[in-house]
């Protein structure tokens, strides 16, 4: 039995029955990381020693007969923009390369309370700005299905680690598709919960009205388990919603007969790879076979979502990233006076894409352009939301491709920022509207995974997970594992 | 709307970024390409549309005005590039 191929729920059963200990499984995953990491390069920081200590503590608690939840003793890892007390958190940026947070993010505290074993911190596009992981200031992560291809981004390391068996699950963050697009590229399940469902306290801010933390897992059952552990109101995040968190796992088994699924035609746009369209259409046919009612629908403002997003997101980013000034934490590059110190620090600390977005956002907010760009984008955001409101009067769930293409080659889009932005066409509108959405494997094109995106009503992750689970029970794409060329 | 090199220079100063002349050239060209794409938004009439800054129906979130512990000073200063006498240290600001 290859331990690293197990899902969280499978491993959890073995741990509960005492067939394997957390120390054994943690050791096995550390060995797995050793074996594949020189090719995948998912980890920025590894914390093997701490992980083994946590595993030992869980094994001892279990031996004493303490009641433990399904995540207890299960090794996982975190995208490196989620703060961990005492463990450096870099955002894959030179400006935070040596920064050690003085506190844990709320999701980290939740997972610690659940008995998680943390293996380390995962590579990403710098400050979560990118769609390929090539914007990491340290090194690019490679797609486990084809090392010459990108894993997607910005949660590329978080997704590659799960796909390669280097962690049983991970947490990523999603501002415009940063969990779902890489999940699609690497053949795993990734969910962006409703804005406000999961606390953002301790998530290093990119665009505060769009950012959301979510689970990356091998299947939908695991997604439900992890989501349950991290969701809920948090007094430290005043935008977190004070709503009860359902038992997602219990809800999975409901029938989807009669479920109304809308298929927005704008998401099957020009430039989409035919194999992607074919797989997504087949997935829709599978839903019909399972008793769902699928109908074509329209979200007429879809084409405006991407330009509006890049104004809103960069405007918020330029404001959020103003805090990196070399004063209270992070890199400082000296200068002859304080302004020169700011400029030297920021110019050496930020990479090209981060600077580009700060420039764009600063411009959009600057005097004389605010109304034409930023305010205009916020109004368009209203129209995008209204499209979804209308659609959800008629449908329970919407189904689309997650990305118009499979994983592209490293370097293929690196020189053309606009082409890179376009790869997030299908995921961005969901963040603009604050909705929950999940990506799950629905096929392969020349050995590369294809993702299906399901979009839900606000705070109705339950229906999303039910639909995703029903599809998964009747297909086996989620059981495919990449051949990493190691024993 | 085209963005000129002078505007790029001004924006860089606002954002406290020091750009090399190559970066200035590249950003002028790239920002123009990106902003050209943004112009698509002008084709939409948004005269009577309210802006959405935030998707949640939240107003102010209040809590009781009672003291509670914050981050300890040593912890807050632990990541400082330079600290002295329990405070962040920066280059002289006033002459």
């Amino acid at each position: 039995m290859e331990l690293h191929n197990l899902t969280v729920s499978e491993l959890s059963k073995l741990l509960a029955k005492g067939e394997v200990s957390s120390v054994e499984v943690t050791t096995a995953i550390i060995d797995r990381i050793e074996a594949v990491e020189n090719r995948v390069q998912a980890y920025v920081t590894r914390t093997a020693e701490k992980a083994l200590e946590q595993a030992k503590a869980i094994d001892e608690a279990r031996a004493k007969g303490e009641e433990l939840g399904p995540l207890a003793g299960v090794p996982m890892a975190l995208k490196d923009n989620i703060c961990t007390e005492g463990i450096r958190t870099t955002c894959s940026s030179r400006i935070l390369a040596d920064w050690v947070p003085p506190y844990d993010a709320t999701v980290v505290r939740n997972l610690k309370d659940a008995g998680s074993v943390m293996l380390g911190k995962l590579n990403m596009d710098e400050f979560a700005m990118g769609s390929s992981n090539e914007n990491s200031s340290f090194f690019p992560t490679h797609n486990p299905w084809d090392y010459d291809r990108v894993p997607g981004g910005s949660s590329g390391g978080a997704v590659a680690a799960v796909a390669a068996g280097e962690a049983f699950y991970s947490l990523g963050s999603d501002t415009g598709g940063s969990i779902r697009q890489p999940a699609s590229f690497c053949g795993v399940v990734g969910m962006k919960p409703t804005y406000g469902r999961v606390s953002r306290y301790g998530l290093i801010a990119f665009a505060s009205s769009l950012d959301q933390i979510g689970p990356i897992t091998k299947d939908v059952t695991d997604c439900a388990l992890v989501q349950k552990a991290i969701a809920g109101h948090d007094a430290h995040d005043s935008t977190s919603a004070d709503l009860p968190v359902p038992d997602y796992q219990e809800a999975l088994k409901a029938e989807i007969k009669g479920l109304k699924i809308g298929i927005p035609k704008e998401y099957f746009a020009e430039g989409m790879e035919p194999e992607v369209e074919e797989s997504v259409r087949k997935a829709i046919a599978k839903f019909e076979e399972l008793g769902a009612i699928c109908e074509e629908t329209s979200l007429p403002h879809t084409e405006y979502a991407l330009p509006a997003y890049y104004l809103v997101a960069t405007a918020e980013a330029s404001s959020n990233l103003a805090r990196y000034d070399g004063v209270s934490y992070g890199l400082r590059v000296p200068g002859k006076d304080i302004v020169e110190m700011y400029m030297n620090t920021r110019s050496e600390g930020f990479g090209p894409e981060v600077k580009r977005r700060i420039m764009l956002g600063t411009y959009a907010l600057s005097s004389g352009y605010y109304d034409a760009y930023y305010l205009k984008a916020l109004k368009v955001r209203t129209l995008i939301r209204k499209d979804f409101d209308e659609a959800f009067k008629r449908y329970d769930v919407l189904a689309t491709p997650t990305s118009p293409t499979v994983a592209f080659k490293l370097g293929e889009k690196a020189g053309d920022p606009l082409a890179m932005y376009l790869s997030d066409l299908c995921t961005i509108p969901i963040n603009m509207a604050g909705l929950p959405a999940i990506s799950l494997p629905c096929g392969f094109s020349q050995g590369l995974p294809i993702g299906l995106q399901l979009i839900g009503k606000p705070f109705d992750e339950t229906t999303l997970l039910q639909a995703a689970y029903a599809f998964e029970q009747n297909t086996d794409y989620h059981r495919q594992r990449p051949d990493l060329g190691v024993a | 709307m085209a963005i000129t090199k002078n505007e790029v220079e001004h924006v860089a100063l606002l954002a406290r970024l020091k750009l090399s002349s190559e970066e200035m050239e590249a950003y002028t060209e790239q920002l123009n390409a990106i902003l050209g794409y943004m112009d698509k938004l002008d084709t939409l009439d948004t005269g009577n549309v309210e802006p959405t800054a935030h998707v949640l129906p939240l107003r102010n979130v209040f809590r009781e005005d009672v003291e509670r512990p914050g981050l300890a000073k040593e912890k807050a200063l632990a990541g400082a590039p330079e600290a002295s006498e329990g405070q962040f240290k920066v280059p002289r600001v006033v002459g």
Side-chain angles (χ1 to χ4, degrees):
Chain A
M1 176 183 53
E2 303 240 55
L3 284 173
H4 63 256
N5 278 333
L6 296 177
T7 64
V8 174
S9 62
E10 288 165 349
L11 174 63
S12 188
K13 280 184 201 128
L14 297 184
L15 286 166
K17 281 193 271 182
E19 289 183 24
V20 64
S21 72
S22 180
V23 169
E24 280 167 344
V25 73
T26 303
T27 306
I29 299 304
I30 291 168
D31 290 348
R32 172 72 176 173
I33 294 171
E34 282 295 324
V36 304
E37 189 56 10
N38 64 331
R39 302 300 304 275
V40 181
Q41 298 188 290
Y43 281 86
V44 169
T45 303
R46 294 193 234 167
T47 53
E49 245 170 71
K50 276 200 169 85
L52 286 166
E53 278 168 32
Q54 288 168 336
K56 192 160 166 262
I58 290 293
D59 285 340
E60 284 166 7
R62 205 183 295 277
K64 275 191 230 151
E66 277 179 39
E67 205 174 306
L68 297 171
L71 299 182
V74 177
M76 58 84 185
L78 302 166
K79 184 177 182 178
D80 209 18
N81 59 352
I82 298 173
C83 288
T84 41
E85 185 174 355
I87 296 167
R88 76 172 186 149
T89 299
T90 70
C91 261
S92 292
S93 178
R94 283 189 298 276
I95 215 158
L96 289 176
D98 302 310
W99 183 58
V100 177
Y103 65 93
D104 277 331
T106 297
V107 291
V108 173
R109 207 169 307 156
N110 291 339
L111 291 181
K112 278 185 178 170
D113 290 347
S116 291
V117 171
M118 197 197 62
L119 295 162
K121 306 297 291 286
L122 299 160
N123 199 22
M124 54 188 280
D125 287 296
E126 184 181 6
F127 281 99
M129 296 177 186
S131 312
S132 71
N133 248 54
E134 292 164 295
N135 294 337
S136 166
S137 300
F138 306 138
F139 47 81
T141 297
H142 296 254
N143 190 315
W145 292 88
D146 178 347
Y147 292 133
D148 293 334
R149 290 178 190 265
V150 304
S154 67
S155 311
V159 165
V162 173
E166 296 183 84
F168 287 94
Y169 69 94
S170 65
L171 296 185
S173 67
D174 190 315
T175 305
S178 281
I179 289 174
R180 291 160 288 153
Q181 181 255 26
S184 163
F185 281 11
C186 294
V188 300
V189 174
M191 182 164 77
K192 182 201 94 71
T194 312
Y195 182 81
R197 183 55 109 179
V198 177
S199 167
R200 292 181 294 111
Y201 180 70
L203 171 67
I204 296 177
F206 161 13
S208 306
S209 80
L210 303 161
D211 296 342
Q212 187 66 186
I213 296 172
I216 295 158
T217 58
K218 288 175 187 154
D219 68 9
V220 176
T221 304
D222 287 3
C223 183
L225 280 174
V226 177
Q227 174 62 14
K228 174 78 183 169
I230 61 172
H233 180 247
D234 174 19
H236 285 118
D237 174 3
S238 52
T239 62
S240 75
D242 198 358
L243 292 170
V245 178
D247 187 337
Y248 298 116
Q249 202 193 1
E250 196 47 47
L252 286 182
K253 280 148 193 131
E255 284 230 9
I256 62 154
K257 209 166 174 184
L259 188 80
K260 294 200 195 84
I261 302 180
I263 320 295
K265 61 177 183 204
E266 291 82 2
Y267 284 68
F268 296 80
E270 240 182 78
M272 172 178 227
E273 289 174 353
E275 295 84 358
V276 172
E277 170 152 15
E278 195 187 320
S279 287
V280 173
R281 300 267 182 215
K282 266 193 198 158
I284 292 161
K286 178 62 84 179
F287 277 113
E288 283 181 322
E289 214 178 280
L290 297 171
I293 300 153
C294 300
E295 267 175 25
E296 187 177 276
T297 184
S298 172
L299 299 167
H301 295 95
T302 300
E303 62 173 312
Y304 302 101
L306 195 72
Y309 169 87
Y310 273 96
L311 290 167
V312 172
T314 57
E316 292 186 19
S318 75
S319 160
N320 270 326
L321 271 60
R323 73 190 63 179
Y324 302 99
D325 55 6
V327 172
S328 44
Y329 53 86
L331 179 74
R332 171 185 290 189
V333 180
K336 66 173 174 358
D337 55 26
I338 195 159
V339 173
E340 200 184 86
M341 181 199 84
Y342 292 153
M343 297 188 91
N344 290 347
T345 298
R346 293 165 63 79
S347 303
E348 287 190 30
F350 292 136
E353 179 63 21
V354 173
K355 286 185 202 170
R356 185 155 41 238
R357 296 205 196 185
I358 290 174
M359 294 284 291
L360 184 58
T362 306
Y363 180 67
L365 289 174
S366 68
S367 159
Y369 300 102
Y370 180 92
D371 285 359
Y373 287 116
Y374 183 64
L375 192 63
K376 181 83 184 183
L378 293 185
K379 289 179 173 179
V380 174
R381 188 175 188 182
T382 305
L383 298 174
I384 293 159
R385 283 183 70 185
K386 284 188 174 159
D387 281 358
F388 282 107
D389 288 348
E390 281 306 309
F392 282 122
K393 283 180 189 160
R394 282 167 289 136
Y395 305 105
D396 304 304
V397 167
L398 303 173
T400 75
T402 307
S403 166
T405 69
V406 293
F408 45 88
K409 291 225 159 104
L410 282 150
E412 192 179 321
K413 298 185 183 183
D416 185 349
L418 198 53
M420 190 72 91
Y421 297 173
L422 287 164
S423 76
D424 295 328
L425 209 59
C426 302
T427 48
I428 271 172
I430 290 84
N431 299 71
M432 291 292 270
L435 302 168
I438 190 169
S439 177
L440 64 157
C442 75
F444 288 87
S445 169
Q446 294 168 3
L448 298 168
I450 296 169
L452 169 73
Q453 175 174 249
L454 301 174
I455 308 160
K457 295 176 187 173
F459 298 101
D460 190 13
E461 285 84 3
T462 304
T463 305
L464 266 193
L465 288 163
Q466 279 166 357
Y469 183 77
F471 179 78
E472 198 180 75
Q473 290 309 295
N474 290 281
T475 54
D476 70 350
Y477 305 113
H478 63 290
R479 292 202 186 85
Q480 312 297 319
R481 302 279 184 261
D483 178 5
L484 292 166
V486 293
Chain B
M1 266 185 267
I3 179 168
T4 63
K5 216 170 129 187
N6 279 348
E7 282 175 305
V8 171
E9 233 176 284
H10 174 65
V11 171
L13 180 69
L14 289 177
R16 297 288 184 263
L17 290 171
K18 192 163 75 185
L19 301 182
S20 67
S21 57
E22 295 85 53
E23 281 180 307
M24 207 71 86
E25 290 285 339
Y27 282 142
T28 306
E29 195 188 312
Q30 288 168 346
L31 291 179
N32 267 315
I34 296 165
L35 289 167
Y37 180 66
M38 308 292 181
D39 285 343
K40 186 195 264 265
L41 299 179
D42 290 339
T43 60
L44 266 182
D45 178 9
T46 51
N48 296 317
V49 181
E50 287 292 312
T52 297
H54 207 279
V55 290
L56 294 176
L58 278 175
R59 294 288 171 264
N60 287 327
V61 178
F62 294 110
R63 66 170 174 86
E64 290 304 310
D65 187 16
V66 286
E67 222 178 293
R68 58 181 186 188
L71 197 60
K73 196 191 254 182
E74 316 77 71
K75 277 189 155 189
L77 287 170
E82 241 188 300
S84 164
E85 299 168 41
Q87 297 177 63
F88 296 111
K89 195 173 173 189
V90 294
R92 180 183 289 275
V93 179
V94 282

